[in-house]
Amino acid sequence: MATSTQPSASAIPAYKTVFLQSCLSANILTFGTYTLKSGRKSPYFFNAGSFHTAPLLSAISTAYAHTIISFLTSHPSIPKPDVIFGPAYKGVPLACSTLLELHRLDPQNWSSVSYSFNRKEVKDHGEGGGLVGASLKGKNVLVIDDVITAGTAMRETINLVAKEGGQIIGFVVALDRVEKMPGPREKEEGIDDGEPRMSAMGQIKGEFGLPTASIVTLDDLIALLRVKGDEGDIQRLEEYRRRYRATD
């Protein structure tokens, strides 16, 4: 008999479960029909901009911190970051609050780490420049962001960090949708050509050799919903996963 490779709710670490439950109870993760930037119709939507209360910001920063610690532990060849970088705008509070939580969990290892984020418009007065926080020059930089669909923002961040003289050691996102990159006709015509493709995170990893991690994936969400979710939502998510599952 074939063995399922999908996670069960009991196999999901506690911090992931708490994070997903916070997302669901606060309607940060919602279900319906949503048009993504790629033109693809999605049965769910994740809005990291809704983590705007202290308990919710604590929930996501705690989940990021545990994910980062696990990520670094499982990749011992990766150096500890000098800077946690959050791309503007949604990455700004995520970088700051996550660094605070990392320091709370392990002050000895994280007291010397800084945060940094970019300005959308370069400042031409005062201290000037395009960054707020630590300089990236000569630093190992860990990037955290909310969710990656097409990879455009990741490429912009890679170019920005390189321009500032930093070295990216990895990307950590809140949600990995584990879905393939959109085809050429999806944006304009909404037509999926059915061709297999890698995910945006998989493509970045292959193209730039950068390791990636996420707090949760679509697989984790479905596993949790099987315990306490709506059957209709579960069926729509499973159909979406079957249709758009990435090859990586």
Side-chain angles (χ1 to χ4, degrees), residues 83-131:
V83 177
I84 304 291
F85 183 83
Y89 288 106
K90 288 183 180 177
V92 173
L94 300 180
C96 300
S97 61
T98 297
L99 181 56
L100 277 173
E101 180 61 18
L102 285 165
H103 181 263
R104 187 190 71 81
L105 291 171
D106 188 355
Q108 184 173 350
N109 279 324
W110 293 94
S111 61
S112 62
V113 179
S114 301
Y115 73 80
S116 184
F117 57 87
N118 61 303
R119 294 186 172 100
K120 287 288 188 178
E121 296 179 359
V122 176
K123 188 177 179 182
D124 59 3
H125 59 280
E127 78 279 14
L131 297 178

mmCIF file of all heavy atoms in Angstrom, residues 83-131:
data_model
loop_
_atom_site.group_PDB
_atom_site.id
_atom_site.type_symbol
_atom_site.label_atom_id
_atom_site.label_comp_id
_atom_site.label_asym_id
_atom_site.label_seq_id
_atom_site.Cartn_x
_atom_site.Cartn_y
_atom_site.Cartn_z
ATOM 1 N N VAL A 83 22.627 40.261 9.690
ATOM 2 C CA VAL A 83 21.490 41.174 9.525
ATOM 3 C C VAL A 83 20.253 40.376 9.119
ATOM 4 O O VAL A 83 20.324 39.495 8.261
ATOM 5 C CB VAL A 83 21.779 42.243 8.436
ATOM 6 C CG1 VAL A 83 20.568 43.145 8.233
ATOM 7 C CG2 VAL A 83 23.001 43.071 8.790
ATOM 8 N N ILE A 84 19.110 40.708 9.748
ATOM 9 C CA ILE A 84 17.807 40.234 9.293
ATOM 10 C C ILE A 84 17.224 41.354 8.444
ATOM 11 O O ILE A 84 17.026 42.473 8.928
ATOM 12 C CB ILE A 84 16.858 39.938 10.473
ATOM 13 C CG1 ILE A 84 17.484 38.931 11.443
ATOM 14 C CG2 ILE A 84 15.514 39.439 9.953
ATOM 15 C CD1 ILE A 84 17.622 37.536 10.903
ATOM 16 N N PHE A 85 16.965 41.054 7.170
ATOM 17 C CA PHE A 85 16.504 42.083 6.238
ATOM 18 C C PHE A 85 15.053 41.850 5.858
ATOM 19 O O PHE A 85 14.668 40.742 5.472
ATOM 20 C CB PHE A 85 17.369 42.075 4.971
ATOM 21 C CG PHE A 85 17.003 43.150 3.976
ATOM 22 C CD1 PHE A 85 17.492 44.436 4.134
ATOM 23 C CD2 PHE A 85 16.168 42.882 2.908
ATOM 24 C CE1 PHE A 85 17.151 45.441 3.234
ATOM 25 C CE2 PHE A 85 15.819 43.870 1.994
ATOM 26 C CZ PHE A 85 16.311 45.161 2.156
ATOM 27 N N GLY A 86 14.234 42.904 5.975
ATOM 28 C CA GLY A 86 12.824 42.822 5.596
ATOM 29 C C GLY A 86 12.524 43.790 4.473
ATOM 30 O O GLY A 86 12.584 45.004 4.673
ATOM 31 N N PRO A 87 12.222 43.297 3.268
ATOM 32 C CA PRO A 87 11.909 44.193 2.148
ATOM 33 C C PRO A 87 10.662 45.033 2.427
ATOM 34 O O PRO A 87 9.666 44.527 2.958
ATOM 35 C CB PRO A 87 11.663 43.233 0.972
ATOM 36 C CG PRO A 87 12.262 41.927 1.401
ATOM 37 C CD PRO A 87 12.135 41.883 2.889
ATOM 38 N N ALA A 88 10.724 46.305 2.079
ATOM 39 C CA ALA A 88 9.566 47.189 2.251
ATOM 40 C C ALA A 88 8.415 46.722 1.340
ATOM 41 O O ALA A 88 8.650 46.247 0.235
ATOM 42 C CB ALA A 88 9.962 48.619 1.905
ATOM 43 N N TYR A 89 7.168 46.797 1.815
ATOM 44 C CA TYR A 89 6.804 47.370 3.100
ATOM 45 C C TYR A 89 6.499 46.272 4.142
ATOM 46 O O TYR A 89 6.755 46.445 5.319
ATOM 47 C CB TYR A 89 5.579 48.277 2.946
ATOM 48 C CG TYR A 89 5.874 49.570 2.231
ATOM 49 C CD1 TYR A 89 5.463 49.762 0.928
ATOM 50 C CD2 TYR A 89 6.587 50.593 2.859
ATOM 51 C CE1 TYR A 89 5.734 50.949 0.267
ATOM 52 C CE2 TYR A 89 6.861 51.783 2.203
ATOM 53 C CZ TYR A 89 6.435 51.960 0.901
ATOM 54 O OH TYR A 89 6.721 53.125 0.248
ATOM 55 N N LYS A 90 5.885 45.198 3.720
ATOM 56 C CA LYS A 90 5.419 44.196 4.677
ATOM 57 C C LYS A 90 6.567 43.561 5.451
ATOM 58 O O LYS A 90 6.389 43.110 6.581
ATOM 59 C CB LYS A 90 4.597 43.124 3.969
ATOM 60 C CG LYS A 90 3.231 43.604 3.519
ATOM 61 C CD LYS A 90 2.424 42.484 2.880
ATOM 62 C CE LYS A 90 1.068 42.990 2.435
ATOM 63 N NZ LYS A 90 0.287 41.927 1.751
ATOM 64 N N GLY A 91 7.758 43.525 4.868
ATOM 65 C CA GLY A 91 8.886 42.907 5.543
ATOM 66 C C GLY A 91 9.458 43.745 6.672
ATOM 67 O O GLY A 91 10.218 43.229 7.509
ATOM 68 N N VAL A 92 9.087 45.019 6.745
ATOM 69 C CA VAL A 92 9.671 45.921 7.749
ATOM 70 C C VAL A 92 9.321 45.492 9.176
ATOM 71 O O VAL A 92 10.219 45.223 9.989
ATOM 72 C CB VAL A 92 9.250 47.380 7.475
ATOM 73 C CG1 VAL A 92 9.724 48.290 8.617
ATOM 74 C CG2 VAL A 92 9.800 47.865 6.132
ATOM 75 N N PRO A 93 8.028 45.410 9.541
ATOM 76 C CA PRO A 93 7.727 44.974 10.916
ATOM 77 C C PRO A 93 8.118 43.528 11.177
ATOM 78 O O PRO A 93 8.423 43.161 12.317
ATOM 79 C CB PRO A 93 6.205 45.163 11.030
ATOM 80 C CG PRO A 93 5.711 45.106 9.623
ATOM 81 C CD PRO A 93 6.800 45.724 8.800
ATOM 82 N N LEU A 94 8.129 42.704 10.114
ATOM 83 C CA LEU A 94 8.496 41.297 10.298
ATOM 84 C C LEU A 94 9.957 41.163 10.712
ATOM 85 O O LEU A 94 10.289 40.379 11.595
ATOM 86 C CB LEU A 94 8.236 40.516 9.003
ATOM 87 C CG LEU A 94 6.792 40.511 8.496
ATOM 88 C CD1 LEU A 94 6.688 39.712 7.204
ATOM 89 C CD2 LEU A 94 5.836 39.965 9.548
ATOM 90 N N ALA A 95 10.847 41.916 10.064
ATOM 91 C CA ALA A 95 12.273 41.850 10.403
ATOM 92 C C ALA A 95 12.528 42.331 11.825
ATOM 93 O O ALA A 95 13.265 41.699 12.597
ATOM 94 C CB ALA A 95 13.086 42.681 9.406
ATOM 95 N N CYS A 96 11.913 43.447 12.196
ATOM 96 C CA CYS A 96 12.144 44.028 13.521
ATOM 97 C C CYS A 96 11.610 43.121 14.631
ATOM 98 O O CYS A 96 12.317 42.831 15.608
ATOM 99 C CB CYS A 96 11.484 45.402 13.613
ATOM 100 S SG CYS A 96 12.104 46.605 12.415
ATOM 101 N N SER A 97 10.368 42.672 14.491
ATOM 102 C CA SER A 97 9.760 41.867 15.555
ATOM 103 C C SER A 97 10.392 40.488 15.651
ATOM 104 O O SER A 97 10.531 39.930 16.753
ATOM 105 C CB SER A 97 8.249 41.743 15.325
ATOM 106 O OG SER A 97 7.963 41.110 14.091
ATOM 107 N N THR A 98 10.811 39.929 14.515
ATOM 108 C CA THR A 98 11.449 38.611 14.536
ATOM 109 C C THR A 98 12.806 38.665 15.231
ATOM 110 O O THR A 98 13.157 37.762 16.006
ATOM 111 C CB THR A 98 11.609 38.063 13.102
ATOM 112 O OG1 THR A 98 10.321 37.887 12.529
ATOM 113 C CG2 THR A 98 12.352 36.731 13.110
ATOM 114 N N LEU A 99 13.565 39.715 14.980
ATOM 115 C CA LEU A 99 14.860 39.844 15.653
ATOM 116 C C LEU A 99 14.668 39.974 17.169
ATOM 117 O O LEU A 99 15.430 39.385 17.948
ATOM 118 C CB LEU A 99 15.627 41.051 15.108
ATOM 119 C CG LEU A 99 17.015 41.280 15.706
ATOM 120 C CD1 LEU A 99 17.904 40.048 15.538
ATOM 121 C CD2 LEU A 99 17.678 42.500 15.086
ATOM 122 N N LEU A 100 13.654 40.705 17.591
ATOM 123 C CA LEU A 100 13.362 40.805 19.024
ATOM 124 C C LEU A 100 13.050 39.434 19.625
ATOM 125 O O LEU A 100 13.512 39.093 20.711
ATOM 126 C CB LEU A 100 12.170 41.743 19.252
ATOM 127 C CG LEU A 100 12.452 43.240 19.281
ATOM 128 C CD1 LEU A 100 11.139 44.018 19.335
ATOM 129 C CD2 LEU A 100 13.333 43.616 20.461
ATOM 130 N N GLU A 101 12.272 38.632 18.898
ATOM 131 C CA GLU A 101 11.905 37.310 19.400
ATOM 132 C C GLU A 101 13.109 36.375 19.408
ATOM 133 O O GLU A 101 13.277 35.585 20.350
ATOM 134 C CB GLU A 101 10.780 36.719 18.545
ATOM 135 C CG GLU A 101 10.302 35.348 18.969
ATOM 136 C CD GLU A 101 9.726 35.303 20.381
ATOM 137 O OE1 GLU A 101 9.377 36.382 20.920
ATOM 138 O OE2 GLU A 101 9.630 34.194 20.962
ATOM 139 N N LEU A 102 13.949 36.436 18.395
ATOM 140 C CA LEU A 102 15.167 35.629 18.389
ATOM 141 C C LEU A 102 16.047 35.963 19.594
ATOM 142 O O LEU A 102 16.606 35.070 20.238
ATOM 143 C CB LEU A 102 15.942 35.866 17.080
ATOM 144 C CG LEU A 102 15.371 35.197 15.829
ATOM 145 C CD1 LEU A 102 15.991 35.799 14.572
ATOM 146 C CD2 LEU A 102 15.603 33.692 15.858
ATOM 147 N N HIS A 103 16.154 37.244 19.901
ATOM 148 C CA HIS A 103 16.959 37.665 21.056
ATOM 149 C C HIS A 103 16.320 37.197 22.356
ATOM 150 O O HIS A 103 17.026 36.790 23.296
ATOM 151 C CB HIS A 103 17.107 39.185 21.059
ATOM 152 C CG HIS A 103 17.933 39.704 22.184
ATOM 153 N ND1 HIS A 103 17.379 40.188 23.363
ATOM 154 C CD2 HIS A 103 19.285 39.787 22.333
ATOM 155 C CE1 HIS A 103 18.348 40.556 24.174
ATOM 156 N NE2 HIS A 103 19.510 40.337 23.582
ATOM 157 N N ARG A 104 14.989 37.206 22.420
ATOM 158 C CA ARG A 104 14.307 36.725 23.625
ATOM 159 C C ARG A 104 14.561 35.236 23.835
ATOM 160 O O ARG A 104 14.781 34.779 24.969
ATOM 161 C CB ARG A 104 12.804 36.987 23.519
ATOM 162 C CG ARG A 104 12.021 36.686 24.800
ATOM 163 C CD ARG A 104 10.533 36.716 24.578
ATOM 164 N NE ARG A 104 10.090 35.572 23.794
ATOM 165 C CZ ARG A 104 9.875 34.363 24.281
ATOM 166 N NH1 ARG A 104 10.112 34.106 25.565
ATOM 167 N NH2 ARG A 104 9.448 33.386 23.502
ATOM 168 N N LEU A 105 14.552 34.471 22.735
ATOM 169 C CA LEU A 105 14.747 33.031 22.825
ATOM 170 C C LEU A 105 16.197 32.651 23.126
ATOM 171 O O LEU A 105 16.462 31.687 23.845
ATOM 172 C CB LEU A 105 14.310 32.359 21.513
ATOM 173 C CG LEU A 105 12.818 32.366 21.204
ATOM 174 C CD1 LEU A 105 12.568 31.867 19.785
ATOM 175 C CD2 LEU A 105 12.044 31.520 22.210
ATOM 176 N N ASP A 106 17.135 33.416 22.553
ATOM 177 C CA ASP A 106 18.547 33.074 22.699
ATOM 178 C C ASP A 106 19.401 34.339 22.663
ATOM 179 O O ASP A 106 20.044 34.646 21.656
ATOM 180 C CB ASP A 106 18.961 32.116 21.568
ATOM 181 C CG ASP A 106 20.360 31.553 21.740
ATOM 182 O OD1 ASP A 106 21.058 31.964 22.681
ATOM 183 O OD2 ASP A 106 20.763 30.695 20.921
ATOM 184 N N PRO A 107 19.415 35.109 23.746
ATOM 185 C CA PRO A 107 20.127 36.390 23.734
ATOM 186 C C PRO A 107 21.618 36.271 23.473
ATOM 187 O O PRO A 107 22.229 37.169 22.885
ATOM 188 C CB PRO A 107 19.840 36.963 25.133
ATOM 189 C CG PRO A 107 19.423 35.793 25.966
ATOM 190 C CD PRO A 107 18.739 34.849 25.036
ATOM 191 N N GLN A 108 22.220 35.171 23.886
ATOM 192 C CA GLN A 108 23.669 35.027 23.700
ATOM 193 C C GLN A 108 24.038 34.997 22.218
ATOM 194 O O GLN A 108 25.046 35.596 21.818
ATOM 195 C CB GLN A 108 24.153 33.751 24.389
ATOM 196 C CG GLN A 108 25.672 33.579 24.331
ATOM 197 C CD GLN A 108 26.152 32.402 25.164
ATOM 198 O OE1 GLN A 108 25.391 31.811 25.928
ATOM 199 N NE2 GLN A 108 27.420 32.063 25.038
ATOM 200 N N ASN A 109 23.234 34.314 21.411
ATOM 201 C CA ASN A 109 23.560 34.171 19.992
ATOM 202 C C ASN A 109 23.044 35.302 19.117
ATOM 203 O O ASN A 109 23.550 35.500 18.012
ATOM 204 C CB ASN A 109 23.014 32.843 19.454
ATOM 205 C CG ASN A 109 23.918 31.676 19.780
ATOM 206 O OD1 ASN A 109 25.138 31.806 19.777
ATOM 207 N ND2 ASN A 109 23.324 30.532 20.086
ATOM 208 N N TRP A 110 22.036 36.047 19.590
ATOM 209 C CA TRP A 110 21.392 37.013 18.705
ATOM 210 C C TRP A 110 21.585 38.469 19.119
ATOM 211 O O TRP A 110 21.094 39.370 18.439
ATOM 212 C CB TRP A 110 19.901 36.688 18.594
ATOM 213 C CG TRP A 110 19.675 35.387 17.874
ATOM 214 C CD1 TRP A 110 19.519 34.156 18.433
ATOM 215 C CD2 TRP A 110 19.656 35.193 16.462
ATOM 216 N NE1 TRP A 110 19.393 33.189 17.455
ATOM 217 C CE2 TRP A 110 19.467 33.811 16.233
ATOM 218 C CE3 TRP A 110 19.764 36.045 15.369
ATOM 219 C CZ2 TRP A 110 19.395 33.268 14.953
ATOM 220 C CZ3 TRP A 110 19.688 35.506 14.086
ATOM 221 C CH2 TRP A 110 19.505 34.140 13.892
ATOM 222 N N SER A 111 22.321 38.725 20.181
ATOM 223 C CA SER A 111 22.472 40.104 20.646
ATOM 224 C C SER A 111 23.269 40.976 19.680
ATOM 225 O O SER A 111 23.109 42.204 19.668
ATOM 226 C CB SER A 111 23.129 40.122 22.031
ATOM 227 O OG SER A 111 24.418 39.529 21.979
ATOM 228 N N SER A 112 24.113 40.372 18.875
ATOM 229 C CA SER A 112 24.946 41.156 17.957
ATOM 230 C C SER A 112 24.349 41.282 16.554
ATOM 231 O O SER A 112 24.931 41.925 15.679
ATOM 232 C CB SER A 112 26.336 40.518 17.847
ATOM 233 O OG SER A 112 26.245 39.204 17.310
ATOM 234 N N VAL A 113 23.192 40.665 16.328
ATOM 235 C CA VAL A 113 22.554 40.690 15.006
ATOM 236 C C VAL A 113 21.694 41.950 14.876
ATOM 237 O O VAL A 113 21.046 42.382 15.831
ATOM 238 C CB VAL A 113 21.710 39.427 14.789
ATOM 239 C CG1 VAL A 113 21.020 39.454 13.422
ATOM 240 C CG2 VAL A 113 22.590 38.182 14.911
ATOM 241 N N SER A 114 21.699 42.526 13.685
ATOM 242 C CA SER A 114 20.956 43.761 13.431
ATOM 243 C C SER A 114 19.792 43.501 12.478
ATOM 244 O O SER A 114 19.696 42.443 11.869
ATOM 245 C CB SER A 114 21.882 44.812 12.799
ATOM 246 O OG SER A 114 22.982 45.100 13.629
ATOM 247 N N TYR A 115 18.937 44.526 12.358
ATOM 248 C CA TYR A 115 17.900 44.473 11.327
ATOM 249 C C TYR A 115 18.161 45.571 10.311
ATOM 250 O O TYR A 115 18.873 46.547 10.577
ATOM 251 C CB TYR A 115 16.494 44.621 11.919
ATOM 252 C CG TYR A 115 16.136 46.011 12.402
ATOM 253 C CD1 TYR A 115 15.735 47.008 11.496
ATOM 254 C CD2 TYR A 115 16.183 46.344 13.752
ATOM 255 C CE1 TYR A 115 15.411 48.280 11.934
ATOM 256 C CE2 TYR A 115 15.870 47.608 14.200
ATOM 257 C CZ TYR A 115 15.478 48.579 13.274
ATOM 258 O OH TYR A 115 15.174 49.840 13.710
ATOM 259 N N SER A 116 17.553 45.425 9.155
ATOM 260 C CA SER A 116 17.657 46.441 8.113
ATOM 261 C C SER A 116 16.473 46.304 7.178
ATOM 262 O O SER A 116 15.916 45.205 7.028
ATOM 263 C CB SER A 116 18.971 46.281 7.333
ATOM 264 O OG SER A 116 19.130 47.320 6.379
ATOM 265 N N PHE A 117 16.059 47.412 6.585
ATOM 266 C CA PHE A 117 15.036 47.364 5.534
ATOM 267 C C PHE A 117 15.267 48.514 4.565
ATOM 268 O O PHE A 117 15.998 49.462 4.869
ATOM 269 C CB PHE A 117 13.612 47.402 6.120
ATOM 270 C CG PHE A 117 13.306 48.592 6.993
ATOM 271 C CD1 PHE A 117 12.846 49.784 6.452
ATOM 272 C CD2 PHE A 117 13.453 48.507 8.375
ATOM 273 C CE1 PHE A 117 12.538 50.873 7.264
ATOM 274 C CE2 PHE A 117 13.147 49.582 9.201
ATOM 275 C CZ PHE A 117 12.691 50.770 8.632
ATOM 276 N N ASN A 118 14.675 48.413 3.420
ATOM 277 C CA ASN A 118 14.896 49.407 2.374
ATOM 278 C C ASN A 118 13.782 50.439 2.327
ATOM 279 O O ASN A 118 12.645 50.184 2.736
ATOM 280 C CB ASN A 118 15.017 48.738 1.002
ATOM 281 C CG ASN A 118 13.770 47.974 0.614
ATOM 282 O OD1 ASN A 118 13.330 47.070 1.330
ATOM 283 N ND2 ASN A 118 13.185 48.330 -0.524
ATOM 284 N N ARG A 119 14.139 51.604 1.849
ATOM 285 C CA ARG A 119 13.142 52.628 1.531
ATOM 286 C C ARG A 119 12.684 52.429 0.082
ATOM 287 O O ARG A 119 13.472 52.053 -0.775
ATOM 288 C CB ARG A 119 13.742 54.026 1.658
ATOM 289 C CG ARG A 119 14.149 54.440 3.052
ATOM 290 C CD ARG A 119 14.589 55.903 3.041
ATOM 291 N NE ARG A 119 14.823 56.415 4.391
ATOM 292 C CZ ARG A 119 16.017 56.530 4.951
ATOM 293 N NH1 ARG A 119 17.101 56.156 4.272
ATOM 294 N NH2 ARG A 119 16.150 56.996 6.167
ATOM 295 N N LYS A 120 11.418 52.701 -0.160
ATOM 296 C CA LYS A 120 10.935 52.642 -1.545
ATOM 297 C C LYS A 120 11.508 53.786 -2.371
ATOM 298 O O LYS A 120 11.723 53.663 -3.574
ATOM 299 C CB LYS A 120 9.402 52.690 -1.573
ATOM 300 C CG LYS A 120 8.729 51.407 -1.116
ATOM 301 C CD LYS A 120 8.891 50.294 -2.140
ATOM 302 C CE LYS A 120 8.050 49.092 -1.779
ATOM 303 N NZ LYS A 120 8.157 48.011 -2.787
ATOM 304 N N GLU A 121 11.762 54.924 -1.687
ATOM 305 C CA GLU A 121 12.369 56.077 -2.356
ATOM 306 C C GLU A 121 13.630 56.457 -1.593
ATOM 307 O O GLU A 121 13.600 56.618 -0.374
ATOM 308 C CB GLU A 121 11.403 57.260 -2.388
ATOM 309 C CG GLU A 121 10.146 56.987 -3.210
ATOM 310 C CD GLU A 121 9.200 58.172 -3.211
ATOM 311 O OE1 GLU A 121 9.514 59.187 -2.553
ATOM 312 O OE2 GLU A 121 8.160 58.072 -3.869
ATOM 313 N N VAL A 122 14.736 56.594 -2.303
ATOM 314 C CA VAL A 122 16.012 56.909 -1.670
ATOM 315 C C VAL A 122 15.963 58.301 -1.044
ATOM 316 O O VAL A 122 15.505 59.260 -1.661
ATOM 317 C CB VAL A 122 17.165 56.835 -2.704
ATOM 318 C CG1 VAL A 122 18.483 57.265 -2.059
ATOM 319 C CG2 VAL A 122 17.273 55.433 -3.264
ATOM 320 N N LYS A 123 16.406 58.383 0.203
ATOM 321 C CA LYS A 123 16.413 59.659 0.928
ATOM 322 C C LYS A 123 17.616 60.483 0.511
ATOM 323 O O LYS A 123 18.747 59.996 0.522
ATOM 324 C CB LYS A 123 16.451 59.362 2.434
ATOM 325 C CG LYS A 123 16.282 60.566 3.335
ATOM 326 C CD LYS A 123 16.254 60.134 4.800
ATOM 327 C CE LYS A 123 16.101 61.320 5.724
ATOM 328 N NZ LYS A 123 16.115 60.910 7.149
ATOM 329 N N ASP A 124 17.385 61.763 0.157
ATOM 330 C CA ASP A 124 18.493 62.613 -0.310
ATOM 331 C C ASP A 124 18.880 63.678 0.709
ATOM 332 O O ASP A 124 19.578 64.629 0.383
ATOM 333 C CB ASP A 124 18.135 63.271 -1.649
ATOM 334 C CG ASP A 124 16.883 64.149 -1.570
ATOM 335 O OD1 ASP A 124 16.331 64.283 -0.453
ATOM 336 O OD2 ASP A 124 16.472 64.688 -2.609
ATOM 337 N N HIS A 125 18.421 63.530 1.961
ATOM 338 C CA HIS A 125 18.814 64.473 3.007
ATOM 339 C C HIS A 125 19.085 63.696 4.287
ATOM 340 O O HIS A 125 18.872 62.487 4.352
ATOM 341 C CB HIS A 125 17.717 65.516 3.244
ATOM 342 C CG HIS A 125 16.402 64.908 3.646
ATOM 343 N ND1 HIS A 125 15.533 64.354 2.733
ATOM 344 C CD2 HIS A 125 15.831 64.748 4.864
ATOM 345 C CE1 HIS A 125 14.462 63.892 3.369
ATOM 346 N NE2 HIS A 125 14.625 64.110 4.656
ATOM 347 N N GLY A 126 19.572 64.394 5.319
ATOM 348 C CA GLY A 126 19.924 63.698 6.558
ATOM 349 C C GLY A 126 21.006 62.673 6.300
ATOM 350 O O GLY A 126 22.017 62.941 5.638
ATOM 351 N N GLU A 127 20.784 61.443 6.804
ATOM 352 C CA GLU A 127 21.780 60.391 6.588
ATOM 353 C C GLU A 127 21.746 59.850 5.168
ATOM 354 O O GLU A 127 22.689 59.208 4.701
ATOM 355 C CB GLU A 127 21.589 59.247 7.600
ATOM 356 C CG GLU A 127 20.448 58.288 7.297
ATOM 357 C CD GLU A 127 19.078 58.807 7.720
ATOM 358 O OE1 GLU A 127 18.951 60.013 8.016
ATOM 359 O OE2 GLU A 127 18.139 58.002 7.751
ATOM 360 N N GLY A 128 20.634 60.132 4.454
ATOM 361 C CA GLY A 128 20.518 59.736 3.054
ATOM 362 C C GLY A 128 20.485 58.232 2.871
ATOM 363 O O GLY A 128 20.426 57.444 3.813
ATOM 364 N N GLY A 129 20.511 57.810 1.608
ATOM 365 C CA GLY A 129 20.588 56.393 1.279
ATOM 366 C C GLY A 129 19.242 55.712 1.149
ATOM 367 O O GLY A 129 18.191 56.301 1.370
ATOM 368 N N GLY A 130 19.315 54.428 0.801
ATOM 369 C CA GLY A 130 18.105 53.662 0.550
ATOM 370 C C GLY A 130 17.779 52.661 1.631
ATOM 371 O O GLY A 130 16.823 51.887 1.481
ATOM 372 N N LEU A 131 18.554 52.638 2.722
ATOM 373 C CA LEU A 131 18.332 51.667 3.791
ATOM 374 C C LEU A 131 18.035 52.358 5.115
ATOM 375 O O LEU A 131 18.485 53.479 5.370
ATOM 376 C CB LEU A 131 19.560 50.772 3.984
ATOM 377 C CG LEU A 131 19.986 49.865 2.833
ATOM 378 C CD1 LEU A 131 21.242 49.102 3.224
ATOM 379 C CD2 LEU A 131 18.868 48.896 2.455
#
